[in-house]
Amino acid sequence: MEYEIIIQSVLDEIDRRIRENIRVDELARAANYSTYHFCRIFASITGTPVMNYVVYRKLEYALYDLSQGERVLDVAVKYGFDTHAGFTKAFKKRFGFPPSLCRLHIFGGAPEPSTVNSVKLKHGGLNMNPYITVMTPFTVAGRTIRKKLPGVKHHADIPAYCFGVNSMEAEITALCPDTSDFSKSNAVKHCEISMCYDVDPENGEFTYLLGRGIFHPDDLKNIPSDMVSYEITGLYAIFSTPPVVPFDQHEQFAKLIQDTWNDIFLKWLPNSEFEYDETRRDFEYYDYRDHGWYFDNNRQMDICIPIRQREEAKHRSQEKGKILWAREMKRREQR
């Protein structure tokens, strides 16, 4: 208990000096320990080395500032990173996605004060179990608008506009094409796709696409000229929102979608073996579950995140594979 009280005072000191150049020997002196002994205690109590935590905490504050529209270079300088590239590399290593996505996807307030228990939880991982799959390629066809809506800075804000909470509902839902726009063959699978991309960090404008998934080759030939199309392919992590009870709780549904976006980018990605693949787009997927046709009229949808394995995780997998192969060869030789 005495150690935890001391470490808590150190966490408070780090928050107070978050924009300063924090050195481990200074923290050790403030705790009245040698640097060696202090580092051992800190790692034992929190589950992470002290300077790893300092960098991570700076990045948490940086993430919030970026989500509020501050420029990447300004934020990097504010928290003591020497270069834009160095900051971006550290950010991607910690969170699994680049700083440029903060404005688009992060929704919420400033970092909460750190406690010993909260640090333990953060560095112990998170129990989220997305469905990881290589997508069978399909095409999204729909219409786009370039907007700067009041109160909308993130993809997670968009559900409020689609579910009747805001007066922009009619303008946005009118974008979605009907199945008759493509063909009379009933080959269009019932799913609506929502994408938010190309955010301008200077003025907050973004492109919003609302369309349908096209799975039949005949329908690809019949996409109207006023629509844009985008191919979905590659490795994705798919997160389903908790079912909403009852069906007509639009605001609750929108809040669950916002919370799921936050959990993906603030909790799952930083602790997973994957990182966000910037060469492809994330999207929201609405099928029959969105209409409450099943599950006792509950509503549910999916958030699909393009991912790739982190280099360090890939290296560990390769090394493990080599070890297992060597063991198998040795076992065969001993037969």
Side-chain angles (χ1 to χ4, degrees):
M1 180 61 73
E2 177 186 352
Y3 283 155
E4 291 200 0
I5 293 173
I6 293 171
I7 296 304
Q8 182 61 60
S9 69
V10 171
L11 297 178
D12 295 339
E13 176 71 7
I14 291 170
D15 275 356
R16 282 193 296 269
R17 301 177 52 199
I18 197 65
R19 296 186 186 181
E20 300 178 19
N21 179 24
I22 301 172
R23 291 169 29 202
V24 66
D25 59 323
E26 295 173 341
L27 296 175
R29 279 199 301 272
N32 292 318
Y33 287 117
S34 69
T35 300
Y36 174 75
H37 191 49
F38 170 71
C39 289
R40 289 187 60 191
I41 293 172
F42 190 96
S44 175
I45 295 294
T46 65
T48 187
V50 58
M51 291 313 295
N52 279 12
Y53 171 76
V54 169
V55 173
Y56 176 50
R57 190 61 172 163
K58 284 177 175 286
L59 291 171
E60 279 192 315
Y61 277 89
L63 181 146
Y64 171 70
D65 291 347
L66 290 167
S67 75
Q68 300 305 297
E70 293 191 31
R71 296 171 61 233
V72 175
L73 182 58
D74 294 339
V75 173
V77 172
K78 180 191 296 187
Y79 293 103
F81 290 85
D82 294 332
T83 65
H84 182 293
F87 171 73
T88 298
K89 182 178 180 181
F91 192 98
K92 288 181 67 175
K93 182 177 181 180
R94 178 55 245 180
F95 294 115
F97 59 95
S100 58
L101 289 183
C102 289
R103 180 67 182 263
L104 184 60
H105 290 303
I106 305 304
F107 178 89
E112 295 288 335
S114 279
T115 66
V116 171
N117 286 335
S118 69
V119 175
K120 285 180 182 179
L121 288 173
K122 285 179 182 177
H123 292 273
L126 178 77
N127 184 24
M128 291 184 74
N129 296 303
Y131 176 54
I132 308 293
T133 184
V134 176
M135 286 283 190
T136 300
F138 69 96
T139 297
V140 176
R143 299 181 176 90
T144 63
I145 52 173
R146 185 72 180 171
K147 297 294 290 185
K148 181 182 179 182
L149 301 178
V152 174
K153 296 187 296 184
H154 320 84
H155 198 160
D157 290 325
I158 294 296
Y161 292 84
C162 293
F163 303 126
V165 185
N166 191 283
S167 60
M168 295 300 298
E169 176 194 10
E171 180 178 359
I172 291 183
T173 55
L175 293 172
C176 192
D178 188 82
T179 54
S180 61
D181 286 327
F182 303 106
S183 75
K184 305 297 184 182
S185 65
N186 294 320
V188 180
K189 183 178 178 180
H190 182 83
C191 70
E192 296 169 4
I193 305 293
S194 162
M195 290 182 179
C196 185
Y197 55 95
D198 289 346
V199 171
D200 186 330
E202 299 300 325
N203 60 26
E205 290 185 352
F206 60 92
T207 298
Y208 181 67
L209 181 150
L210 190 58
R212 293 190 181 276
I214 310 300
F215 300 86
H216 196 281
D218 290 342
D219 290 319
L220 291 175
K221 303 173 185 177
N222 298 322
I223 296 175
S225 59
D226 67 328
M227 293 186 191
V228 299
S229 61
Y230 180 80
E231 185 179 24
I232 302 294
T233 187
L235 187 66
Y236 275 82
I238 302 175
F239 300 80
S240 298
T241 58
V244 177
V245 184
F247 168 60
D248 61 354
Q249 293 298 312
H250 301 302
E251 293 188 29
Q252 184 183 358
F253 193 27
K255 181 65 164 57
L256 283 173
I257 296 173
Q258 291 175 337
D259 290 344
T260 303
W261 274 107
N262 267 5
D263 286 346
I264 292 168
F265 279 87
L266 299 182
K267 298 177 182 179
W268 185 77
L269 268 174
N271 295 293
S272 78
E273 65 177 284
F274 300 102
E275 64 183 9
Y276 187 99
D277 185 350
E278 303 161 58
T279 65
R280 296 177 289 127
R281 294 179 189 168
D282 54 65
F283 60 93
E284 295 180 353
Y285 182 95
Y286 300 86
D287 57 10
Y288 57 85
R289 295 166 299 157
D290 172 47
H291 297 278
W293 293 348
Y294 300 95
F295 312 124
D296 296 324
N297 289 331
N298 295 337
R299 300 183 77 173
Q300 192 175 34
M301 52 77 70
D302 293 334
I303 294 175
C304 304
I305 305 296
I307 56 173
R308 60 190 171 210
Q309 193 175 31
R310 295 180 189 240
E311 285 300 321
E312 55 267 32
K314 189 183 299 184
H315 179 72
R316 287 196 300 269
S317 297
Q318 292 171 346
E319 291 301 312
K320 184 177 180 180
K322 291 178 182 179
I323 292 172
L324 293 175
W325 176 254
R327 288 177 180 173
E328 175 64 17
M329 292 299 98
K330 185 175 181 180
R331 185 183 66 82
R332 293 183 183 184
E333 291 173 358
Q334 292 174 344
R335 285 180 176 177

